[in-house]
């Protein structure tokens, strides 16, 4: 029996095709289909129910140093009102989870983790937390919705009041805003490659906030609608963002997946020794972006070189609605991961021609040059 | 879900519809709806012959790849080339413009063993 978010009935009432994900019954897509939802987010504004994800409060005098030890990136240097992506690594330097850390105050952090790993992460945090560190599971009392797209911030500014406007947040900035006089946190980040917010309302305000976003968008003339998990996957994939269980996992090093940028150069984070050993030895595998012809590459499909020898496997694969190609990410032998290398993907008994291409397939909005 | 009163169906949701000497083959409204957005269709080469029940192609959606089974054996006379650039046509008009192949049936009597539209609709409703 899957868990339900507070928006479960809303999804059913609005034509969602549901599917199980990480123990939750979630909208895969709505009646208009995943391709239309993907385009809606890239062109206007999409609304995502992501209440299934984990939200952990880490507080106390020891919280900053604690997170600095556990998380791979420089989260210990976060000033209040800023956030950062990071990794939890195991002793072999593989990825237990990827996460986002928001610094809410000097001794107060919100850590957002994948739904599939919440229990593992919480147990790890609790086991490692020493004096001066309180770890609290906020997932039930705090909701999470994302509003993403080039017009998302227009709706966000109309939605949230208090001191300042969401559109004044820098990228990766977070602020405390008011919705119907109740305070909530919102961060200018996301998992789509578009501008927008991740919003953390109190659980009892999620439905009202969701409804109000759609009402305000209508009033502003901004096309906005719900987006399910299928489009969430194609959006993040095009933007070159990893998904745990695919591009990263306990058996995959961030060095193999192009996530060296999420590793602190100065702090002694958990798993550092193994990472540096692999860096010194050189990675035998690397993640490559493949554009494929003649079919849809999917996770698990073998990757072959020109002679038909297996050199790796796809970890994600799909049709890309914005890039208009069939593409995969694949972990392959390092010398096959070079841009321009011709490879093949074995798809259900058929060999599809593939070419290594430079990722990401869609440049995230904050890196697109102004016109 | 819509059915075509002139078509007959397989349990695996493919349909056959007579068009002169030929039989038009596609997938049902139930099938396209449960597949979701179709992004690729693997079509056979004209001139290839298949037995009843053989896999003649593949329909790939965002969610999954799905083999296509032939309701009646025969030779592929025509494939719907439009599907190469617009696979979503199957979602939009599966019984009409979204047909997949046309065959010259080898054993026209195989038509009789297919489900008619009413029987198919009843079966699909129970799934």
């Amino acid at each position: 029996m899957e868990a339900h978010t507070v928006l479960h009935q809303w999804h059913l009432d609005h034509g969602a095709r549901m599917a199980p994900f990480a123990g939750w019954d979630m909208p895969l897509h709505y009646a208009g289909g995943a391709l239309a939802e993907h385009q809606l987010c890239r062109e206007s504004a999409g609304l995502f129910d992501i209440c299934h994800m984990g939200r952990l409060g880490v507080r106390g005098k020891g919280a900053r140093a604690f997170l600095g030890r556990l998380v791979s990136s420089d989260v210990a240097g976060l000033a209040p009102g800023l956030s950062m992506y990071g990794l939890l690594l195991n002793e072999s330097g593989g990825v237990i989870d990827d996460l986002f850390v928001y610094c809410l105050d000097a001794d107060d952090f919100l850590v957002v983790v994948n739904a599939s790993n919440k229990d593992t992460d919480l147990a790890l945090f609790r086991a490692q937390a020493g004096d001066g560190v309180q770890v609290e599971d906020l997932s039930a009392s705090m909701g999470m919705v994302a509003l993403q797209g080039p017009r998302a911030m227009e709706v966000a500014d109309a939605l949230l009041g208090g001191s300042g406007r969401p559109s004044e947040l820098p990228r990766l900035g977070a602020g405390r805003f008011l919705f119907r006089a109740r305070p909530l946190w919102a961060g200018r980040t996301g998992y789509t490659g578009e501008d927008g917010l991740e919003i953390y309302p109190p659980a009892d305000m999620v439905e009202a906030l969701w409804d109000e976003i759609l009402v305000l968008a209508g009033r502003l003339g901004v096309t906005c609608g719900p987006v399910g998990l299928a489009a969430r996957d194609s959006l993040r994939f095009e933007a070159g963002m990893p998904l745990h269980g695919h591009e990263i996992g306990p058996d995959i090093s961030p060095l193999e997946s192009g996530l060296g940028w999420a590793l602190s150069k100065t702090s002694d984070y958990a798993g550092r020794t193994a990472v540096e050993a692999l860096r010194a030895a050189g990675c035998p595998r690397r993640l490559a972006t493949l554009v494929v012809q003649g079919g849809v590459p999917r996770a698990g499909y073998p990757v072959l070189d020109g002679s038909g020898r297996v050199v790796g496997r796809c970890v994600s694969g799909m049709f890309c609605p914005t890039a208009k190609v069939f593409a995969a990410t694949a972990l392959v032998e390092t010398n096959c991961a070079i841009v321009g290398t011709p490879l093949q993907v074995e798809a259900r008994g058929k060999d599809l021609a593939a070419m290594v291409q430079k990722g990401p397939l869609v440049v995230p909005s904050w890196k697109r040059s102004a016109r | 879900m819509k059915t075509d009163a002139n078509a007959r169906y397989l349990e695996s949701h493919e349909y056959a519809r007579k068009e002169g000497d030929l039989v038009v083959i596609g997938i049902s409204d139930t099938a396209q709806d449960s597949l979701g957005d179709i992004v690729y269709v693997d079509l056979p080469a004209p001139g290839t012959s298949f037995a009843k029940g053989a896999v003649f192609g593949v329909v790939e959606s965002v969610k999954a790849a799905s083999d296509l089974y032939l309701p009646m054996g025969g030779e592929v006379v025509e494939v719907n080339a439009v599907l190469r650039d617009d696979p979503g046509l199957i979602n939009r008009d599966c019984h009409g413009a979204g047909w997949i192949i046309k065959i010259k049936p080898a054993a026209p009597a195989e038509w009789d063993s297919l489900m008619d539209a009413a029987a198919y609709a009843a079966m699909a409703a129970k799934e």
Side-chain angles (χ1 to χ4, degrees):
Chain A
M1 174 65 194
E2 264 87 31
H4 294 173
T5 71
V6 295
L7 291 165
H8 188 260
Q9 191 59 49
W10 190 96
H11 299 313
L12 295 178
D13 292 343
H14 289 81
R17 299 340 189 225
M18 307 297 280
F21 182 83
W24 295 79
D25 193 36
M26 297 299 288
L28 190 63
H29 60 86
Y30 301 80
L35 299 181
E37 290 163 28
H38 177 115
Q39 299 293 31
L40 174 65
C41 180
R42 288 260 184 261
E43 289 166 11
S44 186
L47 185 53
F48 301 73
D49 173 8
I50 41 178
C51 291
H52 63 312
M53 295 182 70
R55 291 164 289 289
L56 310 180
V58 180
R59 303 186 185 101
K61 292 275 171 265
R64 183 174 293 273
F66 166 72
L67 287 171
R69 281 197 311 275
L70 238 52
V71 179
S72 67
S73 56
D74 291 314
V75 295
L78 279 173
L82 287 172
S83 67
M84 186 180 289
Y85 177 79
L87 307 168
L88 290 180
L89 302 180
N90 57 33
E91 276 179 16
S92 322
V95 183
I96 298 168
D97 204 5
D98 64 339
L99 48 78
F100 235 79
V101 178
Y102 292 86
C103 179
L104 307 184
D105 207 338
D107 299 335
D108 189 356
F109 298 85
L110 170 64
V111 182
V112 182
V113 301
N114 282 297
S116 51
N117 300 318
K118 191 198 91 170
D119 293 341
T120 310
D121 296 347
L122 189 56
L124 175 67
F125 275 40
R126 285 186 167 143
Q128 299 283 325
D131 289 339
V133 182
Q134 294 93 50
V135 176
E136 191 186 346
D137 185 357
L138 301 171
S139 310
S141 59
M142 178 189 275
M144 187 178 180
V145 309
L147 179 60
Q148 302 274 305
R151 303 201 67 188
M153 298 310 289
E154 291 172 56
V155 181
D157 279 351
L159 177 75
L160 300 175
S163 55
R165 296 187 307 168
S167 60
E168 287 161 11
L169 289 171
R171 198 178 101 76
L172 303 181
R176 204 154 166 275
F177 299 95
L178 292 174
F179 174 68
R180 307 224 170 130
R182 299 274 297 282
L184 55 74
W185 282 93
R188 195 160 187 182
T189 181
Y191 194 46
T192 59
E194 300 302 321
D195 195 6
L197 288 184
E198 294 192 327
I199 310 170
Y200 301 89
D204 64 344
M205 296 298 281
V206 169
E207 277 192 88
L209 184 109
W210 179 272
D211 288 340
E212 185 66 2
I213 287 172
L214 295 169
V215 165
L216 287 172
R219 273 198 215 133
L220 291 167
V222 176
T223 312
C224 179
V227 179
L229 291 185
R232 186 168 171 77
D233 194 27
S234 55
L235 286 160
R236 69 93 195 162
F237 177 78
E238 283 187 335
M241 294 170 161
L243 174 61
H244 193 270
H246 295 258
E247 288 76 18
I248 46 176
D251 303 326
I252 305 173
S253 167
L255 295 178
E256 296 177 298
S257 299
L259 292 173
W261 61 268
L263 302 172
S264 170
K265 292 179 172 48
T266 51
S267 80
D268 190 18
Y269 56 87
R272 179 172 215 244
T273 308
V275 167
E276 294 308 324
L278 181 60
R279 196 197 299 277
C283 292
R285 310 179 301 183
R286 291 301 306 261
L287 195 71
T289 300
L290 306 182
V291 171
V292 173
Q293 312 291 333
V296 184
R298 299 190 193 258
Y301 288 5
V303 178
L304 291 65
D305 69 9
S307 75
R309 186 175 64 89
V310 175
V311 296
R313 72 176 196 282
C314 295
V315 292
S316 293
M318 63 194 78
F319 173 66
C320 297
T322 302
K324 295 188 174 32
V325 292
F326 299 98
T329 41
L331 267 177
V332 297
E333 293 172 9
T334 298
N335 58 5
C336 294
I338 298 162
V339 172
T341 306
L343 296 170
Q344 301 173 83
V345 173
E346 196 211 285
R348 307 169 86 244
K350 191 174 151 186
D351 289 338
L352 308 179
M355 174 85 63
V356 179
Q357 196 153 292
K358 182 165 158 30
L361 296 164
V362 172
V363 175
S365 66
W366 52 90
K367 293 186 183 169
R368 294 170 200 158
S369 47
R371 276 163 215 187
Chain B
M1 295 290 133
K2 292 179 242 163
T3 52
D4 181 342
N6 295 318
R8 289 200 163 197
Y9 293 80
L10 273 183
E11 278 179 14
S12 48
H13 308 285
E14 292 83 0
Y15 69 77
R17 186 181 65 245
K18 291 182 187 173
E19 195 179 86
D21 287 342
L22 301 181
V23 175
V24 181
I25 310 286
I27 63 170
S28 71
D29 193 32
T30 300
Q32 70 76 20
D33 184 69
S34 75
L35 281 169
D37 286 328
I38 292 168
V39 296
Y40 187 80
V41 186
D42 201 359
L43 297 165
T48 325
S49 288
F50 297 93
K52 176 186 162 81
V55 173
F56 70 89
V58 183
V59 134
E60 297 236 42
S61 73
V62 169
K63 296 179 223 196
S66 191
D67 284 334
L68 294 166
Y69 299 93
L70 209 47
M72 296 175 66
E75 182 192 322
V76 178
V77 165
E78 204 183 330
V79 302
N80 192 351
V82 173
L83 296 180
R84 291 201 177 101
D85 292 323
D86 187 11
L89 188 53
I90 297 178
N91 295 114
R92 299 195 307 273
D93 190 10
C94 57
H95 284 113
W99 62 273
I100 302 178
I101 62 171
K102 295 184 187 179
I103 61 162
K104 185 155 189 273
E110 285 175 345
W111 172 263
D112 301 334
S113 60
L114 297 172
M115 273 183 278
D116 68 17
Y120 171 73
M123 181 219 82
K126 283 192 215 126
E127 272 191 350

